[in-house]
Amino acid sequence: MIKCLFSAAALAFTLMCQPVLAACLDGKPLAGVNLSGAEFAAEKLPGKVFTDYVYPDLDEMRLFQAMGMNTFRLPFLWERVQPQLFGELDQAELQRIKDSVAAASSIGVCLILDVHNYGQYRGKPIGSPQVPRAALVDLWQRLLANFRDPANVAFDLMNEPAKLPTAEWAATAQETLSALRRKGSRHLIMVPGGGWSGAHSWYAKDGVVSNADAFRFFHDPADNYMIEVHQYADANFSGTGNDCVEPARLSAIMANVALWATSTRRRLFLGEFGVPANQQCLAALSAMVDAIKGNPAWGGWTYWAAGQWLGTYPFSLQPDGGGERPQMSILKNAMPSKDKQ
């Protein structure tokens, strides 16, 4: 397809037309990184853009596209884009998301819009009297109205919905996806598992039900979704430690969740995974990458994380004065081959 972008410089308008790939819908494996920043300073609401939080720019996307990536996951906060439940979207924040979408579309990559709220709004869990399920449905319907073109935009319903029971989340996710389809959405939709979405705990019950059971009969009339899991490599799999478990353990975790996906005819998306750049953890990262590569159960992945403001964060993929981070050489082994892009 051809998309035309208009930009103003002084009194002149420049017309730029270029071919754009339908990166979210072409069926090719997704491979990329979380571009962190817009979810920063959740304790400061709404916060001040470029002081408390930041959105990625086109140059940042081009940088990682040149390394072979075709997908970016964009975390942002529900409270910033919708200051009141069931209310209008904040136009300034919405425009920042639109600018990110336009940047991604201009270079033919897929941008995944990720509501990075852990299953809550202003500290109250979804499903509570203060935040009924219908509130999340309302948010996504409003976002759909502003992002109708599914070519370069995918929807990620809720990051790590740990603040509500898994059964409640599975029902909420089903209701939200079904409502989007009724409204005409043709987008690729990421459906995170309950809790912290951990692959390592996929079969563990939260007291009532496991993700393996809760999402066994999940249904999408458009059949265009992925079940999202996250996996970190430290001892408690939280992504907060600088030591990593042995690679064989991670290989088994990835194989087990892939077996579930194959047996239930689901596709998986590894929305978050990341390690520090030490020898032990790079071996763990290799194990996860090797488990994904060539396995049809996996539809794609986005590493955690990159971003202009990550500084010395040990998992960061953001290039520094020394060039590419060591993690990138491993991730390149799981990139879609050039002849398939």
Side-chain angles (χ1 to χ4, degrees), residues 157-341:
L157 298 181
M158 175 62 59
N159 179 69
E160 296 180 351
K163 301 301 182 180
L164 65 158
T166 295
E168 175 69 21
W169 167 246
T172 300
Q174 183 67 76
E175 186 175 326
T176 305
L177 181 144
S178 297
L180 286 170
R181 297 305 187 208
R182 287 195 300 271
K183 289 290 187 178
S185 168
R186 296 180 294 112
H187 300 73
L188 172 62
I189 296 179
M190 306 305 184
V191 182
W196 302 103
S197 308
H200 66 277
S201 58
W202 201 248
Y203 293 90
K205 292 186 178 181
D206 64 357
V208 179
V209 69
S210 68
N211 276 315
D213 291 330
F215 289 94
R216 184 173 299 277
F217 301 107
F218 193 88
H219 174 66
D220 176 11
D223 193 25
N224 188 29
Y225 74 105
M226 297 185 197
I227 298 293
E228 181 176 333
V229 301
H230 294 177
Q231 188 57 49
Y232 289 97
D234 48 344
N236 63 1
F237 305 116
S238 65
T240 59
N242 289 327
D243 296 321
C244 294
V245 301
E246 61 275 13
R249 190 172 176 189
L250 289 162
S251 297
I253 288 168
M254 302 294 280
N256 284 339
V257 75
L259 180 62
W260 174 86
T262 301
S263 66
T264 57
R265 298 185 179 181
R266 303 289 189 263
R267 277 192 308 164
L268 296 172
F269 178 72
L270 188 58
E272 289 185 19
F273 65 114
V275 300
N278 60 58
Q279 184 175 358
Q280 178 192 42
C281 290
L282 292 175
L285 179 61
S286 291
M288 288 191 281
V289 166
D290 289 344
I292 295 172
K293 187 170 54 178
N295 189 331
W298 295 97
W301 52 269
T302 45
Y303 179 91
W304 185 271
Q308 306 165 40
W309 287 9
L310 287 183
T312 59
Y313 177 58
F315 293 13
S316 177
L317 210 61
Q318 195 75 17
D320 57 15
E324 292 183 9
R325 299 293 178 108
Q327 297 94 325
M328 181 58 78
S329 63
I330 296 170
L331 293 174
K332 284 181 176 179
N333 292 327
M335 298 283 190
S337 60
K338 293 293 184 182
D339 60 340
K340 293 182 181 179
Q341 291 192 39

Side-chain angles (χ1 to χ4, degrees), residues 68-146:
M69 293 181 170
N70 60 17
T71 305
F72 302 112
R73 184 171 180 253
L74 178 68
F76 62 91
L77 294 182
W78 186 352
E79 296 89 348
R80 285 192 177 125
V81 75
Q82 190 180 38
Q84 297 295 327
L85 290 180
F86 300 102
E88 297 294 326
L89 300 185
D90 181 88
Q91 291 302 302
E93 194 72 5
L94 179 63
Q95 186 59 53
R96 287 186 269 273
I97 299 174
K98 286 182 175 180
D99 289 345
S100 295
V101 168
S105 297
S106 73
I107 59 173
V109 297
C110 182
L111 190 72
I112 302 170
L113 303 185
D114 161 42
V115 181
H116 210 78
N117 271 72
Y118 305 98
Q120 63 184 350
Y121 181 91
R122 298 190 187 277
K124 303 298 182 182
I126 298 171
S128 65
Q130 299 90 341
V131 189
R133 284 184 197 171
L136 185 66
V137 174
D138 174 79
L139 169 69
W140 275 110
Q141 288 180 335
R142 292 176 187 273
L143 288 170
L144 172 62
N146 286 276

